[in-house]
Amino acid sequence: MTVKKMKTSSFKTIGLIGKPQHKKASQTMRECYAFLKEKGFKVIVDERVRRDVEIKGMLFDNVIGIGRLCDLAIVIGGDGNMLGAARILARDDIAVIGVNRGNLGFLTDLSPDNFKAPLLQVLEGNYQSEERFLLDVEIYSHGQLKSANSAVNEAILHPAKIAKMIEFAIYVDDNFMINQRSDGIIISTPTGSTAYSLSAGGPILTPKLNVLSLLSMYPHTLNSRPIVIDADSNICIEISQSNDIEMQVSCDSHVNLSVLSGDRVLIRKTKHSLKLVHPEHYSYFHVLQKKLGWGNKLY
Amino acid sequence: MTVKKMKTSSFKTIGLIGKPQHKKASQTMRECYAFLKEKGFKVIVDERVRRDVEIKGMLFDNVIGIGRLCDLAIVIGGDGNMLGAARILARDDIAVIGVNRGNLGFLTDLSPDNFKAPLLQVLEGNYQSEERFLLDVEIYSHGQLKSANSAVNEAILHPAKIAKMIEFAIYVDDNFMINQRSDGIIISTPTGSTAYSLSAGGPILTPKLNVLSLLSMYPHTLNSRPIVIDADSNICIEISQSNDIEMQVSCDSHVNLSVLSGDRVLIRKTKHSLKLVHPEHYSYFHVLQKKLGWGNKLY
Amino acid sequence: MTVKKMKTSSFKTIGLIGKPQHKKASQTMRECYAFLKEKGFKVIVDERVRRDVEIKGMLFDNVIGIGRLCDLAIVIGGDGNMLGAARILARDDIAVIGVNRGNLGFLTDLSPDNFKAPLLQVLEGNYQSEERFLLDVEIYSHGQLKSANSAVNEAILHPAKIAKMIEFAIYVDDNFMINQRSDGIIISTPTGSTAYSLSAGGPILTPKLNVLSLLSMYPHTLNSRPIVIDADSNICIEISQSNDIEMQVSCDSHVNLSVLSGDRVLIRKTKHSLKLVHPEHYSYFHVLQKKLGWGNKLY
Amino acid sequence: MTVKKMKTSSFKTIGLIGKPQHKKASQTMRECYAFLKEKGFKVIVDERVRRDVEIKGMLFDNVIGIGRLCDLAIVIGGDGNMLGAARILARDDIAVIGVNRGNLGFLTDLSPDNFKAPLLQVLEGNYQSEERFLLDVEIYSHGQLKSANSAVNEAILHPAKIAKMIEFAIYVDDNFMINQRSDGIIISTPTGSTAYSLSAGGPILTPKLNVLSLLSMYPHTLNSRPIVIDADSNICIEISQSNDIEMQVSCDSHVNLSVLSGDRVLIRKTKHSLKLVHPEHYSYFHVLQKKLGWGNKLY
């Protein structure tokens, strides 16, 4: 993680992105709005929460507009809201920080009860900045691009309905890696390595690494292991003709792209990346300690 | 893995490093020596195998000398012999390739039964070249350097005698990561990720990655998971004062450095790296397929 | 496994259960039929394969009829055919043995290329016999039994569509065990412990044990572990009201029972069990060696 | 777990077993002694703590004597003290209960701060009782018994010094199971399944099961999995002649029996078992919830 300490802030226009119809998130957004206005910033609010927070003189725009017009976006919600915003904001040159409504999040490090002091640090230019890359996912059928989307955490190939074995081959930069029969495969970024991939037995990848992990889901062999590869690799999954069921590639468990036998799934790093900022004393390991209970004794 | 295809070989003087008192390795070395002399190369042979292979006119030197005088070293033996040679040869600007006596090795890709054609490719400059970094391990007691060594595969902190819990804290670049009670910890390079670390449940790290994995051995918690960090990190393990037994840091399971309560273990990437060369059509994934049985069906 | 060696066979009427529209299975069935008739047994053939194998004088019945009328059923097909037949045949006092079309199966130990000698042993009363229990699965909605089925290998609670977290509580003999958020749970018999449960990281349970294993699927905690309990336990899974998606309990990946928020899933051992017979020298560990590759060396 | 509720206590003479030179354990023992004397019980105290707790009129004996003379032993200390006492007390017909000095233990369910009410329940005959079997371990060299001991939790075969691969074959009831190269093997009782075996990835076995688990330590294959077998099995481990290092079998990590190449290790259930008693409302699952954090949410 690169620590950038600037003496004066480069942030002038700030976007507030929220969680619609969520009382506590709305309350935090109102506090945050007042705080920013008091400090003299121009603020644009996520139009999806207009009915929850509108006061006189408030400016609204959608997330795409916020990405284009603002220097910093503050996402007030859970990691899910952050993932949704991140997929859009990564395209623009905007810094992003999160205030978590609930527990400490992996992506949203500010606490709603105590966000002002650390946020002020950030606004004054005393922050850490890091780039989190995303995955571009493209589905090809008979050589034609059928659908595409992007993922901050992970892309998962799996059957569309119940847990059922599928068969596919993986190529990395045109080199054959493996033929596999399993319930699917998880391709995770470092950001996603503490999410679904972790539940499935994948390694934790520290955020600044330019790597991906590939992880089989319930493989029909005993010799499958997680493998970590260069994030600049082109991954191609060839779906075997032998599969007789519909499949999907799920991006961040939000968007599902339909996949059929014989299709090819291409996965590579996006050109743009998400610019996350953290308060000066942020530590990734501290988040692991808090979220994963690192330090608890068993016996 | 960088593929360097040169039209003319830069190799002039070639070292042969062997496995003492091993009939089949000696036989392969004799064949290899004759082959190289026939092609007009200057050859220097590992003096430890002098009694096994000496013929008239053969030049001998130790591995240090081979590293200094040769452009290419051919290690004829198992991955163990390669590890031993690599720890010395990494200090010099010498390319290294292995002929395995036995099964295909992760580090020794040439087969003793069929090494001439691929070796000729390499000698003619048609090869892939990759850098494998090593770990520098230093033990400090009361602030004084007590002992040091290096590792190609992994450094393992563990009790000197039987499996018994030890307690220690890990810092990465001066940031506290975790306090741990376990049987020890494995810090593995990508090269070592298919060795002991794999048996212990660690992820496979493809060779070109500049990363390390940290893996607890039988931790006394249920929330420990492998973590992959930047190989340019400085790792410091502080051994708790509460340990009442002798410990060791084992480098590649060959060299054991004694560690006591209160000591500090520093681990970082070496400045030099091992220059491995492979035949033109070498594929790391192919080695995984052969060695790990990737492709076998369970049911 | 109880070894029962009888000097004279108790088998008089034998059922042949097949795999419809499968050339090789049909060929093996014809050989088996001729062999049995030659030895003087009365034979009843699975009516689903009538079109594949019928010759003059052949008697046919469905699997239920075979269960009622025969002393021994020979299932010619894969483990899937065996599971399907077993769910029906377990209700009757009939011995069952399998001839596998393909590789050695966990449940079908006779090879199609060499079934006559071991089958003759069995027919002469020189066999091992073991009881494999099944699971009764019942789904209750508002206290009313909604659906039920049975499983030889395992019952799996999971979302009906894509991998998505569900929330539920498990009680064992009315004692609260755990609240869980995961992709589901696998409850496996010893017979199923080498099937899907093994892919998911579950322990192997030797066949004669009267135990079950419970195994979370991608749990949203790091402290979940497989747990083995008495097979005479009553397991109750209370589906949380908070789930907003349809779920299923899948029996042997064949039958899916629909489950909704607030439902209760009861799982207990069936009263009846499957009577598997094996040739005299059958060894379960030998099957593990063959099927799982126990004995293969890694490095 | 069998629940035995008796209206009147069968306990008359009670032994107190302690943790020498441990202030808090001594304090709890004094409180416990006074409590029992007040209730009119005859009490015999562990002579190893005489100097820590002696008051006028106190009776002392060693743990063997306590086992012979008392109806109930109360162990005041950690699970380690309980294991040590249990190995002796299992030979006699004596009930055992533990008061933990520290956190809730898997074996010691009474809290030092609140032991009187639940202990009174037990003394009045309102308790649950369960039998925990032990393992007999015997080492044979050239057919001669060389050494023997017993284990409550687990027997571990491993190298005597540093982690180094050993080679051995396992037979169960004279049936060959597996040849293995690994750092060793853990054979665990249900009681031990939440101890070292759990750290090594073994399944949890509920206490009343008559089963054992076998678990390889860092096996040099990818296809090794935990296996659960009948506790009435005879396990024989044949140590390969190829091992050139000293090995040990460790019983409960307390007693180490030396093992050499060519030796045979026999492991079987002891004839006697430990009679643990628990307060009326004890729940094993509740202990799992407390000790393993079952119920904690990850994200």
Side-chain angles (χ1 to χ4, degrees):
Chain A
M1 209 164 319
T2 323
V3 180
K4 290 184 188 167
K5 294 188 183 182
M6 302 176 230
K7 287 302 159 216
T8 55
S9 174
S10 51
F11 304 134
K12 289 191 171 59
T13 308
I14 296 176
L16 292 182
I17 296 174
K19 189 173 184 172
Q21 293 175 285
H22 188 282
K23 274 194 178 176
K24 289 188 169 178
S26 300
Q27 172 58 25
T28 301
M29 184 173 278
R30 277 187 292 262
E31 288 173 36
C32 193
Y33 180 83
F35 176 74
L36 292 168
K37 292 303 287 181
E38 186 196 304
K39 298 289 172 195
F41 290 94
K42 181 176 176 189
V43 182
I44 303 177
V45 175
D46 181 356
E47 67 179 13
R48 296 172 306 168
V49 297
R50 183 194 286 263
R51 295 177 59 168
D52 301 314
V53 302
E54 184 162 23
I55 60 171
K56 205 183 152 190
M58 223 179 222
L59 301 176
F60 291 93
D61 206 335
N62 59 21
V63 178
I64 294 171
I66 286 174
R68 226 176 277 137
L69 300 168
C70 299
D71 311 306
L72 173 70
I74 303 174
V75 179
I76 298 164
D79 274 358
N81 298 90
M82 179 60 104
L83 290 175
R87 293 146 62 89
I88 295 167
L89 298 177
R91 296 175 209 146
D92 291 290
D93 185 32
I94 180 171
V96 179
I97 194 167
V99 179
N100 200 326
R101 272 312 328 180
N103 307 312
L104 177 70
F106 276 107
L107 290 176
T108 51
D109 17 286
L110 302 185
S111 155
D113 300 325
N114 185 26
F115 69 86
K116 290 181 189 173
L119 183 57
L120 194 56
Q121 279 185 10
V122 171
L123 293 170
E124 287 173 347
N126 297 310
Y127 58 84
Q128 298 178 41
S129 167
E130 52 171 0
E131 305 278 316
R132 301 281 184 106
F133 68 82
L134 284 73
L135 298 176
D136 263 336
V137 180
E138 296 176 341
I139 315 293
Y140 287 83
S141 197
H142 305 291
Q144 300 291 316
L145 180 64
K146 199 165 69 170
S147 59
N149 219 293
S150 64
V152 177
N153 272 346
E154 76 280 301
I156 307 177
L157 170 71
H158 57 89
K161 288 198 183 160
I162 57 158
K164 225 188 141 176
M165 194 187 70
I166 57 177
E167 195 163 351
F168 51 90
I170 303 175
Y171 293 81
V172 175
D173 291 334
D174 296 328
N175 295 308
F176 171 68
M177 179 191 274
I178 198 167
N179 259 324
Q180 189 161 96
R181 294 162 70 207
S182 68
D183 280 9
I185 187 164
I186 302 167
I187 290 139
S188 172
T189 66
T191 301
S193 72
T194 49
Y196 196 73
S197 173
L198 188 62
S199 288
I204 297 170
L205 310 170
T206 48
K208 74 172 274 192
L209 296 179
N210 188 43
V211 301
L212 296 173
S213 70
L214 278 68
L215 185 60
S216 299
M217 302 171 76
Y218 299 160
H220 288 227
T221 68
L222 298 180
N223 56 16
S224 184
R225 290 294 180 278
I227 183 166
V228 180
I229 66 170
D230 194 317
D232 289 319
S233 308
N234 289 304
I235 300 171
C236 173
I237 307 177
E238 289 192 1
I239 311 299
S240 167
Q241 294 285 359
S242 68
N243 296 299
D244 55 0
I245 54 168
E246 203 198 326
M247 289 149 280
Q248 290 178 333
V249 174
S250 167
C251 297
D252 296 340
S253 301
H254 279 280
V255 181
N256 296 305
L257 308 176
S258 174
V259 175
L260 297 172
S261 296
D263 284 357
R264 301 169 79 232
V265 180
L266 296 193
I267 294 171
R268 74 173 79 89
K269 208 171 80 170
T270 53
K271 289 201 193 79
H272 310 101
S273 60
L274 177 68
K275 282 146 219 78
L276 266 189
V277 292
H278 302 287
E280 214 171 352
H281 300 294
Y282 167 87
S283 155
Y284 178 71
F285 296 139
H286 182 70
V287 180
L288 290 185
Q289 289 150 23
K290 287 283 182 195
K291 292 282 292 177
L292 306 187
W294 279 18
N296 287 349
K297 301 290 161 54
L298 170 55
Y299 48 85
Chain B
M1 208 165 323
T2 323
V3 181
K4 292 183 187 171
K5 294 189 182 182
M6 304 177 226
K7 287 304 158 213
T8 55
S9 173
S10 51
F11 305 134
K12 291 192 170 58
T13 309
I14 296 177
L16 291 181
I17 295 173
K19 188 173 185 171
Q21 295 175 285
H22 188 281
K23 275 196 178 173
K24 290 189 169 176
S26 300
Q27 172 59 25
T28 302
M29 184 173 280
R30 279 187 290 264
E31 289 173 37
C32 192
Y33 180 83
F35 176 74
L36 291 168
K37 291 303 287 181
E38 186 197 304
K39 298 289 171 194
F41 290 95
K42 182 178 174 188
V43 182
I44 303 177
V45 175
D46 182 356
E47 67 179 14
R48 296 172 308 170
V49 298
R50 183 194 287 262
R51 296 176 61 168
D52 301 315
V53 303
E54 183 161 26
I55 60 171
K56 206 182 149 188
M58 222 179 223
L59 301 176
F60 291 93
D61 206 335
N62 59 21
V63 179
I64 294 171
I66 287 173
R68 226 174 277 138
L69 299 168
C70 299
D71 312 306
L72 172 71
I74 304 174
V75 179
I76 298 163
D79 274 357
N81 298 90
M82 180 58 104
L83 291 175
R87 293 146 60 88
I88 296 167
L89 298 176
R91 297 176 209 147
D92 291 290
D93 186 31
I94 180 172
V96 179
I97 194 166
V99 180
N100 200 326
R101 273 310 331 177
N103 307 313
L104 176 69
F106 275 107
L107 289 177
T108 51
D109 19 284
L110 301 184
S111 155
D113 301 324
N114 185 26
F115 70 87
K116 290 181 188 172
L119 182 56
L120 193 58
Q121 278 184 12
V122 171
L123 293 169
E124 287 172 347
N126 296 309
Y127 58 83
Q128 298 178 41
S129 168
E130 51 169 1
E131 304 278 317
R132 299 282 184 108
F133 68 82
L134 284 74
L135 298 176
D136 263 336
V137 180
E138 295 175 342
I139 316 292
Y140 287 83
S141 198
H142 303 291
Q144 299 291 316
L145 181 65
K146 198 164 72 168
S147 59
N149 218 293
S150 64
V152 177
N153 271 347
E154 75 282 300
I156 308 178
L157 170 71
H158 57 87
K161 289 196 182 162
I162 56 158
K164 226 189 140 176
M165 192 186 71
I166 57 178
E167 194 163 351
F168 52 90
I170 303 175
Y171 293 80
V172 175
D173 292 334
D174 296 327
N175 294 307
F176 171 68
M177 180 191 271
I178 198 167
N179 259 324
Q180 191 160 93
R181 294 162 72 207
S182 67
D183 280 11
I185 186 164
I186 302 167
I187 289 139
S188 172
T189 66
T191 301
S193 72
T194 49
Y196 195 72
S197 173
L198 188 62
S199 288
I204 297 171
L205 310 171
T206 48
K208 73 170 277 194
L209 295 180
N210 188 44
V211 301
L212 296 172
S213 70
L214 278 69
L215 186 59
S216 298
M217 300 170 77
Y218 299 160
H220 288 227
T221 68
L222 297 179
N223 56 15
S224 184
R225 291 294 180 277
I227 182 166
V228 180
I229 66 170
D230 193 317
D232 289 317
S233 308
N234 289 304
I235 300 171
C236 173
I237 307 177
E238 289 192 359
I239 311 298
S240 167
Q241 293 286 2
S242 68
N243 296 299
D244 54 0
I245 54 169
E246 203 198 325
M247 290 149 279
Q248 291 179 333
V249 174
S250 167
C251 296
D252 294 342
S253 301
H254 279 280
V255 181
N256 295 305
L257 308 176
S258 175
V259 175
L260 296 172
S261 295
D263 285 358
R264 300 169 81 229
V265 180
L266 296 194
I267 295 171
R268 73 173 78 89
K269 210 171 81 169
T270 53
K271 289 202 192 76
H272 310 101
S273 60
L274 177 69
K275 281 143 217 79
L276 267 189
V277 292
H278 302 287
E280 212 171 355
H281 299 296
Y282 167 88
S283 155
Y284 178 72
F285 296 138
H286 182 69
V287 180
L288 290 185
Q289 289 149 25
K290 287 283 182 197
K291 292 282 291 179
L292 306 187
W294 278 17
N296 287 349
K297 300 288 161 57
L298 168 56
Y299 48 87
Chain C
M1 208 164 324
T2 323
V3 181
K4 291 183 189 170
K5 294 189 182 181
M6 303 176 227
K7 286 306 157 211
T8 55
S9 174
S10 51
F11 304 132
K12 291 193 169 62
T13 308
I14 296 176
L16 292 180
I17 295 173
K19 189 173 185 171
Q21 293 176 287
H22 188 281
K23 274 195 178 175
K24 289 188 169 178
S26 299
Q27 173 58 26
T28 301
M29 184 173 278
R30 278 187 290 263
E31 289 173 37
C32 192
Y33 180 83
F35 176 75
L36 292 169
K37 292 303 287 181
E38 186 195 305
K39 298 289 171 194
F41 290 94
K42 182 178 175 187
V43 182
I44 302 176
V45 176
D46 181 357
E47 67 179 13
R48 296 171 307 167
V49 298
R50 182 195 287 261
R51 295 176 62 167
D52 303 314
V53 303
E54 184 161 25
I55 60 172
K56 206 183 151 189
M58 219 177 226
L59 301 176
F60 293 93
D61 206 335
N62 58 21
V63 178
I64 294 171
I66 287 174
R68 226 175 277 138
L69 300 168
C70 298
D71 311 306
L72 173 70
I74 303 173
V75 179
I76 298 165
D79 273 357
N81 298 91
M82 179 59 103
L83 290 175
R87 294 147 60 89
I88 295 168
L89 298 176
R91 296 175 210 149
D92 290 291
D93 185 31
I94 180 172
V96 179
I97 194 166
V99 180
N100 199 326
R101 272 312 329 181
N103 307 312
L104 176 69
F106 276 106
L107 289 176
T108 51
D109 18 285
L110 302 184
S111 154
D113 300 325
N114 185 27
F115 70 87
K116 289 182 189 171
L119 182 57
L120 193 57
Q121 279 184 11
V122 171
L123 294 170
E124 287 172 348
N126 297 310
Y127 58 82
Q128 298 178 41
S129 168
E130 50 170 1
E131 304 279 316
R132 302 280 185 107
F133 67 82
L134 284 74
L135 298 176
D136 264 336
V137 180
E138 296 175 340
I139 315 292
Y140 287 83
S141 197
H142 305 292
Q144 298 293 316
L145 180 64
K146 198 164 73 171
S147 59
N149 218 292
S150 64
V152 177
N153 273 346
E154 76 281 301
I156 308 177
L157 170 70
H158 57 88
K161 288 199 182 161
I162 58 159
K164 226 188 141 175
M165 193 186 71
I166 57 177
E167 195 163 350
F168 52 90
I170 303 174
Y171 292 80
V172 175
D173 291 333
D174 297 327
N175 294 308
F176 171 68
M177 179 191 271
I178 199 166
N179 259 325
Q180 190 161 93
R181 294 161 72 207
S182 68
D183 280 11
I185 187 163
I186 302 167
I187 290 140
S188 172
T189 65
T191 301
S193 72
T194 50
Y196 195 72
S197 174
L198 188 62
S199 288
I204 297 170
L205 310 171
T206 47
K208 75 170 276 193
L209 296 179
N210 189 43
V211 301
L212 296 173
S213 70
L214 279 69
L215 186 59
S216 298
M217 301 170 77
Y218 300 158
H220 288 228
T221 69
L222 298 179
N223 57 14
S224 184
R225 290 295 180 276
I227 183 166
V228 180
I229 66 170
D230 193 316
D232 289 318
S233 308
N234 288 304
I235 300 171
C236 174
I237 307 177
E238 289 193 359
I239 312 298
S240 167
Q241 293 285 0
S242 69
N243 296 298
D244 54 0
I245 54 169
E246 203 198 327
M247 289 149 279
Q248 290 180 333
V249 173
S250 167
C251 296
D252 295 341
S253 301
H254 278 279
V255 181
N256 296 304
L257 308 176
S258 174
V259 175
L260 297 172
S261 296
D263 284 357
R264 300 169 80 231
V265 180
L266 296 193
I267 295 171
R268 75 172 77 88
K269 210 170 79 169
T270 53
K271 289 203 192 80
H272 310 100
S273 59
L274 178 68
K275 281 144 219 78
L276 267 188
V277 293
H278 303 286
E280 214 171 353
H281 300 294
Y282 167 88
S283 155
Y284 178 71
F285 297 139
H286 182 70
V287 180
L288 290 185
Q289 289 149 24
K290 287 284 181 195
K291 292 283 292 179
L292 306 186
W294 278 18
N296 287 349
K297 301 290 161 54
L298 169 57
Y299 48 87
Chain D
M1 211 164 317
T2 324
V3 181
K4 291 182 188 169
K5 294 188 183 181
M6 302 176 229
K7 286 305 159 212
T8 56
S9 174
S10 50
F11 304 133
K12 291 193 171 55
T13 308
I14 296 177
L16 291 182
I17 295 174
K19 188 173 186 174
Q21 294 176 286
H22 189 282
K23 274 196 180 174
K24 289 189 170 178
S26 301
Q27 172 59 24
T28 301
M29 184 173 280
R30 278 188 291 264
E31 288 173 36
C32 192
Y33 180 82
F35 176 74
L36 292 168
K37 290 304 287 182
E38 185 195 305
K39 298 286 171 196
F41 289 95
K42 182 178 175 189
V43 183
I44 303 176
V45 175
D46 181 356
E47 66 179 14
R48 297 173 306 169
V49 297
R50 183 195 287 263
R51 296 177 59 169
D52 302 314
V53 302
E54 185 163 22
I55 59 171
K56 205 182 150 188
M58 223 179 221
L59 301 175
F60 292 93
D61 206 334
N62 58 22
V63 178
I64 294 171
I66 286 174
R68 227 175 276 137
L69 300 169
C70 299
D71 310 307
L72 172 72
I74 303 174
V75 180
I76 298 164
D79 274 358
N81 298 89
M82 180 59 105
L83 291 174
R87 293 146 62 89
I88 295 167
L89 298 177
R91 297 175 209 146
D92 290 291
D93 185 31
I94 181 172
V96 179
I97 194 167
V99 180
N100 201 327
R101 273 311 328 181
N103 308 313
L104 176 69
F106 276 108
L107 289 176
T108 50
D109 16 287
L110 301 185
S111 155
D113 301 324
N114 185 26
F115 69 86
K116 289 181 190 173
L119 182 57
L120 193 58
Q121 279 184 11
V122 171
L123 293 170
E124 287 173 348
N126 296 311
Y127 58 82
Q128 297 178 43
S129 167
E130 51 172 0
E131 305 279 316
R132 300 281 184 108
F133 68 81
L134 284 74
L135 298 175
D136 263 336
V137 180
E138 296 175 341
I139 316 292
Y140 287 83
S141 196
H142 304 293
Q144 299 291 314
L145 180 65
K146 199 164 69 170
S147 59
N149 219 294
S150 64
V152 177
N153 272 346
E154 75 280 302
I156 308 178
L157 170 70
H158 57 88
K161 287 194 185 163
I162 57 158
K164 226 188 140 175
M165 193 186 71
I166 57 178
E167 195 162 350
F168 52 90
I170 303 175
Y171 293 81
V172 175
D173 291 334
D174 297 328
N175 294 308
F176 171 68
M177 179 192 273
I178 198 166
N179 259 324
Q180 189 161 95
R181 295 161 71 208
S182 68
D183 281 10
I185 187 163
I186 302 167
I187 290 139
S188 172
T189 65
T191 301
S193 71
T194 49
Y196 195 73
S197 172
L198 188 62
S199 288
I204 297 171
L205 310 171
T206 47
K208 75 170 273 190
L209 296 179
N210 188 43
V211 301
L212 296 172
S213 70
L214 278 70
L215 186 59
S216 298
M217 301 170 76
Y218 300 158
H220 288 227
T221 68
L222 297 179
N223 56 16
S224 184
R225 290 295 180 277
I227 182 166
V228 180
I229 66 170
D230 194 317
D232 288 318
S233 307
N234 288 304
I235 300 171
C236 174
I237 307 177
E238 289 193 1
I239 311 298
S240 168
Q241 293 285 0
S242 68
N243 297 299
D244 54 1
I245 55 168
E246 203 199 326
M247 289 149 279
Q248 290 178 334
V249 173
S250 168
C251 297
D252 294 341
S253 302
H254 280 278
V255 181
N256 295 305
L257 308 176
S258 174
V259 175
L260 296 171
S261 296
D263 284 357
R264 300 169 80 230
V265 180
L266 296 194
I267 294 171
R268 75 173 77 88
K269 209 171 80 169
T270 54
K271 288 200 193 81
H272 310 101
S273 59
L274 177 68
K275 281 144 220 80
L276 267 188
V277 292
H278 302 286
E280 213 172 353
H281 299 294
Y282 166 88
S283 155
Y284 177 71
F285 296 140
H286 183 69
V287 180
L288 290 185
Q289 289 148 24
K290 287 284 182 194
K291 293 282 291 179
L292 306 186
W294 278 17
N296 287 348
K297 301 288 161 56
L298 170 56
Y299 48 85

